[in-house]
Amino acid sequence: MEKTIDVTAARRQFGTLLDEVFHKGDIFTIERKGKPLARIIPLDQSIHREEKKTISLQQKALLKELNSLPNIGTDKDPVEVLRSIREQKRIKTANEYDK
């Protein structure tokens, strides 16, 4: 549950805030004169946010590589398909050096 609390009340009840964040998973936004200053969130949520960003970047890189691979039919010889993929990578790598 998200809650908003004034900075003075947060200072007085800091231990209670931490308990609610840890045990209940509450999220507190700390305000001064109605302006949000900071947010206290459970540690596991902040870690998951960073992991999602990292995974997302890894997924993008894998998708890019996957899309660059040739389409393979079931009627083709797997050895020939692998040879063509390797050859394409060699050509691509050589062309990158020419730039």
Side-chain angles (χ1 to χ4, degrees):
M1 172 190 278
E2 288 204 31
K3 299 178 182 179
T4 304
I5 189 167
D6 184 65
V7 69
T8 307
R11 190 179 301 135
R12 277 187 259 134
Q13 302 170 1
F14 190 68
T16 305
L17 286 178
L18 290 179
D19 286 340
E20 288 187 36
V21 169
F22 181 74
H23 295 291
K24 294 182 182 178
D26 290 347
I27 298 173
F28 285 92
T29 301
I30 301 173
E31 293 183 343
R32 178 182 289 145
K33 298 180 183 177
K35 180 181 175 186
L37 298 176
R39 181 171 280 167
I40 300 176
I41 64 171
L43 183 61
D44 61 344
Q45 284 186 13
S46 66
I47 291 171
H48 291 307
R49 285 183 185 172
E50 292 301 317
E51 286 176 354
K52 285 180 184 176
K53 288 179 187 176
T54 304
I55 291 171
S56 176
L57 293 174
Q58 290 172 345
Q59 287 174 339
K60 286 179 184 179
L62 288 172
L63 280 173
K64 184 177 178 181
E65 186 174 348
L66 180 63
N67 289 331
S68 70
L69 295 175
N71 291 333
I72 306 170
T74 55
D75 57 335
K76 295 184 180 178
D77 181 27
V79 174
E80 291 301 318
V81 171
L82 286 174
R83 284 184 184 145
S84 68
I85 290 172
R86 289 182 184 135
E87 186 62 32
Q88 284 182 2
K89 285 195 173 198
R90 279 190 217 122
I91 292 170
K92 185 178 180 181
T93 304
N95 289 340
E96 287 175 0
Y97 289 120
D98 292 339
K99 290 181 181 178

